[in-house]
Amino acid sequence: MTQDELKKAAAAAALRHVLDHTATGAIIGVGTGSTANFFIDALATVKDRIGGTVASSEASRQRLEGHGIRVLELNEVTELPVYVDGADEITPRLEMIKGGGAALTREKIVSAVARTFVCVCDASKLVPVLGKFPLPVEVIPMARAYVAREIVKLGGQPRWREGVVTDNGNDILDVHGWSITDPAGLEQRLDQIVGVVTNGLFAARGADLLLLATPEGVREYRN
Ligand code: 5RP
């Protein structure tokens, strides 16, 4: 199976989960990236069953609207039963690195509101320890160099993702060289640096369910 076929299988499993666990008319949280795109395409086949969606990026909003799926602002929504999104890396404890698509801040906000975070991945994303994938950190542009120096003090090697501006108008630093054995601790530490908007560690609020597509079928991991 190709990686895209695996991503599609994970997205199809997520759609089955959503249909089995949410009431007709529910609002669905939708993530960002190529796996989330497969989920959006699958969601389009049942768009009359859902009340609408909340998107974690402008790219996902456009794709959803292109399918004729209603997209609401998060501020209009009080109940979000489920959020479906991919990850760049995920551990068996369902801690993640996210933000490869620069949407980490909105992803973290939407997932904070959601009752259940369903992560959809192909098998290559499952790792014992986070950090091989560079950790994205969204920063206020004027603080970029300062934040980079503070990250160096913590042992990381930050690189500015030049030419990329987030949906919130900010910059991204990708931090290399970390083997992250305490994801929750590092997530908290990075958030304390002035000028950091969000970091791509999703450990304090990890996923609740991982649907991991392998050539042998979709495996489920729960928290
Ligand atoms: C975007 C993300 C994505 O979920 C992550 O990059 C995974 O993307 P893909 O499904 O394309 O591998 O965090 O900011």
Side-chain angles (χ1 to χ4, degrees):
M1 278 172 102
T2 65
Q3 199 176 16
D4 272 358
E5 284 167 340
L6 292 173
K7 289 179 181 184
K8 215 170 174 173
L15 182 68
R16 286 194 293 278
H17 176 90
V18 166
L19 293 177
D20 288 350
H21 292 88
T22 61
T24 303
I27 309 298
I28 311 300
V30 177
T32 299
S34 56
T35 320
N37 281 346
F38 283 122
F39 176 69
I40 293 172
D41 298 347
L43 200 59
T45 64
V46 299
K47 65 180 174 193
D48 296 333
R49 250 206 67 159
I50 61 171
T53 57
V54 170
S56 67
S57 64
E58 291 307 315
S60 291
R61 169 194 295 280
Q62 281 172 19
R63 196 175 184 98
L64 287 158
E65 288 179 342
H67 280 300
I69 299 173
R70 185 170 169 230
V71 183
L72 294 96
E73 294 299 325
L74 184 62
N75 286 320
E76 301 175 69
V77 172
T78 45
E79 272 284 294
L80 201 58
V82 64
Y83 175 64
V84 178
D85 199 358
D88 299 302
E89 284 184 346
I90 185 162
T91 69
R93 293 167 302 286
L94 309 194
E95 304 139 329
M96 295 168 278
I97 285 183
K98 291 184 47 55
L104 60 160
T105 298
R106 295 189 186 195
E107 291 172 341
K108 212 174 250 198
I109 294 169
V110 181
S111 67
V113 175
R115 204 160 52 231
T116 307
F117 187 141
V118 177
C119 183
V120 280
C121 288
D122 67 85
S124 70
K125 305 290 183 71
L126 187 67
V127 297
V129 178
L130 300 173
K132 199 165 176 195
F133 189 93
L135 176 67
V137 179
E138 179 164 350
V139 297
I140 300 288
M142 72 170 288
R144 190 183 64 242
Y146 167 71
V147 172
R149 289 193 294 274
E150 292 299 303
I151 287 173
V152 169
K153 287 183 199 164
L154 295 176
Q157 298 151 27
R159 284 188 210 149
W160 177 24
R161 204 184 294 178
E162 272 191 83
V164 170
V165 176
T166 71
D167 285 346
N168 315 306
N170 296 319
D171 291 345
I172 296 281
L173 293 171
D174 290 309
V175 186
H176 298 249
W178 266 332
S179 175
I180 303 170
T181 49
D182 177 15
L186 185 60
E187 180 178 11
Q188 201 178 33
R189 182 68 195 85
L190 288 169
D191 279 348
Q192 285 165 356
I193 301 173
V194 174
V196 168
V197 178
T198 323
N199 71 82
L201 281 167
F202 285 57
R205 200 279 186 257
D208 301 294
L209 171 65
L210 165 61
L211 298 171
L212 188 80
T214 75
E216 292 76 42
V218 178
R219 278 194 221 137
E220 293 189 8
Y221 295 71
R222 281 172 204 281
N223 242 345

